[in-house]
Amino acid sequence: IYPDFGKIWLLLLHKIEKTLQYSKYYNKKNELGRASGHVKLVDTLNRVIIEGNKAEKSSNPPRTFVTGRILVTRILDNDSFYLTADTLRTLYNDTGGYKYMIGYPHAKIFNKEFSAICDSISYSFTDSTIHLDKSPVLWFSDYQTTSVSIVIMLKNEQIWKAVLTSN
């Protein structure tokens, strides 16, 4: 039911080995892959590019863990949004698509419509919501707002609603 992460990692590791001499590891029995150096994971189906210094991907349970100089690009029809953080975790649904993406600490997210900083960001692919936790600051148009936490709901790839939680 899950995509064959082994084939994805073997392709990724082969490319790394061929072009850049970074360290790599893949255990076919456990379906666990690791790479370090400038790691770039490209998901054309979900239109997501994840870059970092170290990555680990497993298929049981299906997840990805990335650290070091992280840049996530989520390609949208009319724009893209970018996420940076020190650590990134992704969890997958039953069909192998993204369920959640969580960036922490020192997280930032931005596109041409808005930007935000906080300690922890989670993005839900199922309902297109962005959760900003631990001292978030959100900039939208000419406005700046802060709160204990902020939930941004997207509709048609644009901010539809933001819910601010106070103490």
Side-chain angles (χ1 to χ4, degrees), residues 40-142:
K40 187 173 189 176
L41 305 171
V42 179
D43 180 345
T44 55
L45 180 65
N46 294 297
R47 302 184 333 175
V48 174
I49 301 168
I50 302 172
E51 298 177 71
N53 290 342
K54 291 182 182 178
E56 182 177 293
K57 191 169 186 102
S58 69
S59 56
N60 192 16
R63 63 186 173 164
T64 305
F65 177 74
V66 183
T67 60
R69 300 184 55 87
I70 294 168
L71 174 62
V72 177
T73 305
R74 172 81 164 102
I75 301 164
L76 306 172
D77 288 336
N78 297 320
D79 191 15
S80 294
F81 76 74
Y82 305 92
L83 184 147
T84 65
D86 293 345
T87 302
L88 179 78
R89 291 184 185 274
T90 61
L91 305 172
Y92 299 90
N93 61 26
D94 293 339
T95 62
Y98 290 104
K99 186 175 182 179
Y100 289 103
M101 187 173 288
I102 304 162
Y104 61 93
H106 309 111
K108 299 173 187 166
I109 190 167
F110 49 94
N111 74 355
K112 66 181 179 184
E113 189 174 276
F114 72 94
S115 61
I117 59 171
C118 60
D119 192 63
S120 168
I121 293 176
S122 63
Y123 176 72
S124 170
F125 283 80
T126 17
D127 61 5
S128 297
T129 57
I130 301 168
H131 295 258
L132 309 172
D133 294 307
K134 298 184 183 173
S135 306
V137 180
L138 172 66
W139 293 273
F140 181 80
S141 297
D142 294 333

